[in-house]
Each structure stands twice: as C-alpha cells, then as structure tokens.
Amino acid sequence: MLKRFAKYYKPHLALFIFDISCALFVTITDLIYPLLTRRLINIIIPTKNMIMILKFSLLLFLIYSFKMLMEYFVGYYGHVLGVRIEYDMRKEIFSHIQKLSFSYFDNTKTGQIMSRIVNDLREISELAHHGPEDIFLSVILLIGTFFVLLNINVKLTLVSFTIIPFMIYFMIKFNNKFESVFMEQRRIIADINSRIEDSISGIRVVKSFTNEEYEIKKFDEGNLRFKNQRTKAVRYIGIFDSVNNYFANIAVLITLTFGGLMVSKGEINVGDLVAFMLYIGQFLRPLTIILRFTEDFQNGMSGFKRFIEIIDMKPDIEDKEGAIELEKVKGDIEFIDVKFSYDDKRTVLSNINFKIKSGETVAIVGPSGSGKTTLCNLIPRFYEIDEGRITIDGIDIKYIALKSLRRNIGIVQQDVFLFAGTIRENIAYGKLDATFEEIVEAAKAANAHDFIMQLPNGYDTYIGERGVKLSGGQKQRISIARMFLKNPPILILDEATSSLDNESEAIIQKSIEDLAKNRTTLIIAHRLATVKNADRIIVLTENGIEEEGSHHELLRKKGKYYSLYVNQFDIA
C-alpha cells in the first residue's frame, strides 16, 4: 500500500526534494541552537566579552531569519505538493469511474462515490504533504539529538530515556484503535452524503408527500451515528495527546531532577544542563510528531484504501485485444441465442433470436418486466450477455471497440437527462465540436427551435439541474435535437413519448419519425398506437419472443399482441 502511495510523488519529485531540503535546513537549525546556547553560557558569557556576545546574537538572528524563510517554503510548497497529488488522484479516480460498467452504478450510491472523490482525497492530501516530511525529519532530529545528548553526558541521557519505551508501547497499542475508528468514520460520512444526495435530488417528491420530517429523521440517524463515531475518535485523540504530553513532562522532570543532582555534585555544569534540557525538548518534539503521525497516517491511509478499492475495480466490460473500429455502418443487427441475467441470478432474457435489416424500424412490445429495455441495453454493451452473440453488420459486438460501437448508436429515453447548463450546451453534447449553426439546425429538426427562441435567453437559457425549468415535452425535444446532432446510424427509442400529453406526444412523434428516417430503429413502446407504422413488431414476454410481424399481421393472429391491444384500447 505504501509503495503504491509513493508512486504519486514521482511526477512531482523536484518539488518534493525542494520541500524536504528546506525542512532539513529547519531541522539542522533546531539541532545547532542548543549547542550554540551551551557555548554561549559556558564560554562566552563568563568572559564578559560584549563584542563576542553581540556577534553571537547577530549570528543567531541571521540563522533564525533564514529559518523563517525555509519554514515559509515548507508550509507553502509542502501544501502545494499535497494539492497536486490530490489533483492527480481525483483525476485518476474520476477517469476510472467513467470506465466502470452500469452494474457498478446500479449497486453503488452516488453519495458514496462523491465521498470517495471529495472527502477521502482531502485527507490523503494532508498525508501526502506531512507524512514523508514528518517521518524523515523526525528521524533525523531523533538520531542527531540522541548522539548530541550522549556527547554531553551519557549517564543523564540513559536516565532520561527510561520513559521512551513506555511511549512507544502506548503508540503501538493505539495504532489499531485509530485505524478501525477512522475507517468506520469514513463509511458513515459516505452514507450521510448518499442520504443528502437522495433527499436533495428528490426534493419535489419529498415536498409533495409532505415528508420533510421523515427525511430529517432519516438524515439525523446517520448524523447521530457520525457524531457518536466522531466522539469516539476525539476521545482516543484526547487520550493519545494527554498521555503523550504526560510522558514528555515526566521525561523533563526526570532530566531536571537528576540533572540538578549532578550539577550539585559537580558532575555536569549549568551550561551543559541547559543545553541538555533544550535537547530533551527537541528530542520529545519529533517523537510526539511521530506519535501524532499515527493518527494522521491512519486517517489518510483509510482514505487511500477506499481510493484503491475503486482504482482496483476492473470494468465488467472492456475492449478486447485488437478490437476493431466500425466504419460505414449499415445497421444490420442480429441476436443469436442470447441469454442474459443480472448478477448471474434470475434470467431476464433467454434464447433470443431475431434480425433487423439496415434502415428497418422494429418495435419491441410486451408486458412490464419482460426485458424490453434490458434487451436494448445489450446492443451498446451496457451489460455483457451470458451466452450467445449480438452482431452489427455481421461483426460480434464483443470485438468492436466500445467507443466506436456506442458512437454509432443513439438512445432516446423516457427519463431524459439534461445537464445543469444552457440549452446550447445540452444540444451540443451530441457533438461537442458542433457550430452554433449545426445546433440550430438540429433543434429545428427536433421541432424545438420555436420554443427555444421564446425563452428569455434563447439557446443560452439556463435550464437548471436535470432541466427542471423545462416541461417534459421540451426536455424530450432537446434530447432529440442532441440525437440529430450525433446522427447515429442505429437508433434506440425507449418509451420516448409515454410520459407526455397528447399535444406534446404528437410533436415528439413527428420529430422521432424524422429522426428515424434512413436509420435502423428499435422502438420500445408501451402505447401500441405509437408502433402501428413500424415495419415489424416483436412481442417479448418472460418466455422470450412470442410473436413477430406487422401490426395488421399480429392482430389477425389474435395472439399475445392482440390481447395487449384489446386490453389497452378496451376493444370488445
């Protein structure tokens, strides 16, 4: 884990070396100061040489001035280093999440993902900055101080250090406590983020059901868990700090007591005792930093472990070696003995076989839960099939590069997702380098231009989160305009008009018909009136494909389609 953590320093090695070098100078200054003080008391002051005393004071002033500059560099560039590493990690994890399959997002709450990207990495940044610096310099200060103390007086050094084993034992004992407490704390804050994300995203539902108090209660349950866990953590921190300070004070007391006795016996002079006391303080400070580092380390590494959990997660669906790019797609689609199940449990689709010719419009109808949407999600490989093959122009989609495959497929869904931003930005999502003229043409083709021009800022109108400022029909027309701009040879329409009123449906239906021209089109529909003109209708049930044919052919058969049609239109 540490080795993997260390690799993030590599791109910033020059900055890291500069930071450590500045901190090293600060540490050397701390080592020199007691020696200079010892010399001042033992040699210079007894001579009563005022010139030497002033020169000595000037030297210390210059050293401290330069030390201040180095401490500024450590404080500033050290944090810059941490921020840059945090940036790299956040960029890496966000890029990796974009590669994960739908199954990951089906099973993971948005708030938990956000917690890993934001909260966890902030703690990692602090560890990245302080970790190596604190350990490296504390070790140097400890070793340097120890040898200087031995040089001053071996006997007093050994007596003063009798407290050190107890401090080390205490540090080791608390190490595991910190790890478990901080890891649980992160899990709880991730759950809180999920609760917040759910509640805010569904605020209209919350208010419409007047369930504000219920949401507050649910949030407070998680918030209370965090409070209790955080209280437990700060209790450990309180014990940790107070006991460490107690040990440090006992060490000073031992030194002062035995040192005083040694001065009275003439075994050590006052200057040496003063220097020794200063060095004991120097020695205990890095030891306390190392002990404190235990807390920071567990805090940061618990976040890094959660970071690594996602980075190590392999996408369910990846390009196979030698995956090909689709060129000049005609749009022939074939399902051959396809079987699919979610999480290898209940089978959703079994023994699915059908062909769609280039330019053909095929509707897929059937009762809810029969797998219509799932079937269409298999074509762009949002999920991987268990058995069988799906081909486009005779090529198994498993051997087509994912970006190339999805670039040639357009999907218009019932639940339109629009990004917070302007209408122009949302339409342009279909082709990021589109000109404004192309955006306008796409909007006109989707019958959206007229209503857009009536908005306060036209194409630059801000539509709110998920397009909340637009009606359902307006949002659907924006999504269709986006698809006109993408201009894919294969089109999937998933219940695209089922949630609209009759007037909006008529407008959208005309836009869809224009969009479907000269494309291979699959229509998932609940309203059978919208698929009468399809070239072919496939009736899908839990048993698989039960019927195929045109609207009139299927009515004449008086089978499953006929039953659905009669029930929907209440035909006797």
Side-chain angles (χ1 to χ4, degrees), residues 99-104 314-318 381 383-384:
K99 300 173 187 175
L100 296 179
S101 310
F102 274 21
S103 55
Y104 171 74
K314 298 295 182 185
D316 298 335
I317 302 170
E318 292 183 289
R381 281 187 78 195
Y383 300 95
E384 198 77 283

Side-chain angles (χ1 to χ4, degrees), residues 105 165 177 289 399 447 486:
F105 300 99
K177 289 183 183 293
I289 289 173
Y399 300 99
N447 293 310
K486 183 178 182 180

Side-chain angles (χ1 to χ4, degrees), residues 36-87:
L36 294 176
T37 303
R38 178 190 183 196
R39 181 176 177 83
L40 183 67
I41 294 172
N42 285 345
I43 300 173
I44 298 175
I45 291 178
T47 64
K48 299 180 180 179
N49 186 333
M50 296 299 294
I51 300 298
M52 283 299 296
I53 292 173
L54 291 173
K55 285 183 178 180
F56 205 84
S57 299
L58 180 61
L59 175 63
L60 284 175
F61 172 77
L62 293 174
I63 290 173
Y64 281 138
S65 297
F66 194 65
K67 179 186 176 184
M68 179 192 69
L69 184 63
M70 293 298 102
E71 285 178 330
Y72 163 74
F73 287 147
V74 170
Y76 174 64
Y77 288 108
H79 280 100
V80 168
L81 174 67
V83 167
R84 289 183 181 179
I85 290 175
E86 180 184 0
Y87 166 82

Side-chain angles (χ1 to χ4, degrees), residues 5 29 106 117 140 162 182 241 269 356 389 398 402 451 461 470 482 507 550 560:
F5 188 68
T29 304
D106 291 343
I117 295 175
I140 290 175
T162 54
F182 285 127
D241 287 347
N269 60 44
I356 303 175
R389 290 190 304 140
K398 287 184 178 180
L402 282 171
F451 92 77
T461 299
L470 301 179
R482 189 160 60 187
I507 298 171
S550 68
K560 186 67 178 178

